Amino acid sequence: GDFRLRTDNVGYNASVELLDTLLTPYYRFAAVRSEVLSGAFPGIPVDSTTYTVGLLLHRGPVRARGEYQDFQWEISPYRSWRAEVQYVGPINPTMRIYATASYLDKYYPEGTSTDLPEAFTDRTVTASGNLQKQIPARSLVLSAGGSFSRLQGRVEGNTYSLNSSLTWKIGRLDITAGASAYKSETEGVTGLSTSRFHEYYYVNL
């Protein structure tokens, strides 16, 4: 039947910079509250509460984060730990590097649905990087990078990607050529496996 539902969102953030922005602890609170104004709501209440606490570290080209989150909901509450490190900076005047690595541990004490109520943990490890090289004398910019992701939990799998590009400026003409490749292999709890592979090449004038 028809129903009227009102949803309110409440949240706030708090953080403080310490040691000349070297360390920044932070806290976040977010809540969703619903009220059925008329009729009967057929689904599961959307009410949820999220608590997040973490610490940021920033020194020169290095950024790091450690974070704990508690998500409370009737259907699939979880608790997660996250850690990540990022490096962005020049190696020399014509070369710049970007690299990042992260780890996420997500625990579902009541599963993800009434059909899958068993507790489980998902763990994800990712790493990516990109290197950019400028050759001003030839008006060239070279770029190459890649990424890797590993998932362990209800679904097991690996994902890889590689990419490269070259940009050449000739007067008012810009020529960009590149190539990328992507591969993914996953296996679920039912034993069903999937594998995907893509390649892409391009030239832009």
Side-chain angles (χ1 to χ4, degrees), residues 76-95:
S76 56
Y78 66 77
R79 299 189 294 271
S80 69
W81 288 94
R82 179 191 302 272
E84 57 187 26
V85 179
Q86 182 183 84
Y87 180 95
V88 180
I91 298 178
N92 56 47
T94 63
M95 188 175 295

Side-chain angles (χ1 to χ4, degrees), residues 158-162 180-184 196-200:
N158 299 311
T159 301
Y160 313 84
S161 71
L162 295 172
S180 63
Y182 169 88
K183 183 178 181 180
S184 175
R196 296 183 175 88
F197 179 73
H198 302 284
E199 290 181 310
Y200 178 64

Side-chain angles (χ1 to χ4, degrees), residues 79-147:
R79 299 189 294 271
S80 69
W81 288 94
R82 179 191 302 272
E84 57 187 26
V85 179
Q86 182 183 84
Y87 180 95
V88 180
I91 298 178
N92 56 47
T94 63
M95 188 175 295
R96 186 175 182 85
I97 190 172
Y98 165 84
T100 182
S102 66
Y103 172 81
L104 175 63
D105 185 294
K106 213 169 191 179
Y107 174 62
Y108 295 85
E110 300 176 19
T112 54
S113 68
T114 54
D115 296 328
L116 298 169
E118 297 84 8
F120 74 97
T121 299
D122 272 340
R123 295 184 178 91
T124 306
V125 177
T126 61
S128 63
N130 183 267
L131 182 66
Q132 187 179 80
K133 171 67 176 178
Q134 296 180 339
I135 307 177
R138 298 186 179 274
S139 300
L140 289 174
V141 177
L142 306 174
S143 178
S147 66

Side-chain angles (χ1 to χ4, degrees), residues 3-204:
F3 65 90
R4 292 176 58 207
L5 181 71
R6 186 181 70 187
T7 302
D8 296 318
N9 295 276
V10 179
Y12 60 82
N13 303 300
S15 64
V16 57
E17 294 182 345
L18 304 174
L19 304 177
D20 194 25
T21 72
L22 175 65
L23 299 175
T24 304
Y26 62 90
Y27 174 80
R28 292 196 297 263
F29 170 85
V32 178
R33 299 291 181 262
S34 61
E35 179 184 359
V36 179
L37 301 179
S38 63
F41 182 61
I44 302 298
V46 298
D47 297 7
S48 66
T49 305
T50 307
Y51 303 93
T52 305
V53 61
L55 178 67
L56 295 173
L57 182 148
H58 182 199
R59 183 168 187 176
V62 177
R63 297 174 183 267
R65 177 195 303 266
E67 183 180 278
Y68 171 77
Q69 187 173 86
D70 183 2
F71 176 70
Q72 300 178 359
W73 187 35
E74 185 175 338
I75 295 297
S76 56
Y78 66 77
R79 299 189 294 271
S80 69
W81 288 94
R82 179 191 302 272
E84 57 187 26
V85 179
Q86 182 183 84
Y87 180 95
V88 180
I91 298 178
N92 56 47
T94 63
M95 188 175 295
R96 186 175 182 85
I97 190 172
Y98 165 84
T100 182
S102 66
Y103 172 81
L104 175 63
D105 185 294
K106 213 169 191 179
Y107 174 62
Y108 295 85
E110 300 176 19
T112 54
S113 68
T114 54
D115 296 328
L116 298 169
E118 297 84 8
F120 74 97
T121 299
D122 272 340
R123 295 184 178 91
T124 306
V125 177
T126 61
S128 63
N130 183 267
L131 182 66
Q132 187 179 80
K133 171 67 176 178
Q134 296 180 339
I135 307 177
R138 298 186 179 274
S139 300
L140 289 174
V141 177
L142 306 174
S143 178
S147 66
F148 167 79
S149 179
R150 169 67 177 164
L151 176 62
Q152 293 178 300
R154 280 272 170 90
V155 175
E156 304 270 338
N158 299 311
T159 301
Y160 313 84
S161 71
L162 295 172
N163 60 81
S164 61
S165 68
L166 181 150
T167 301
W168 188 18
K169 187 175 181 63
I170 308 173
R172 299 177 63 183
L173 177 65
D174 287 346
I175 302 175
T176 301
S180 63
Y182 169 88
K183 183 178 181 180
S184 175
E185 300 172 329
T186 60
E187 180 177 349
V189 290
T190 61
L192 180 64
S193 299
T194 61
S195 180
R196 296 183 175 88
F197 179 73
H198 302 284
E199 290 181 310
Y200 178 64
Y201 304 90
Y202 63 91
V203 175
N204 295 325

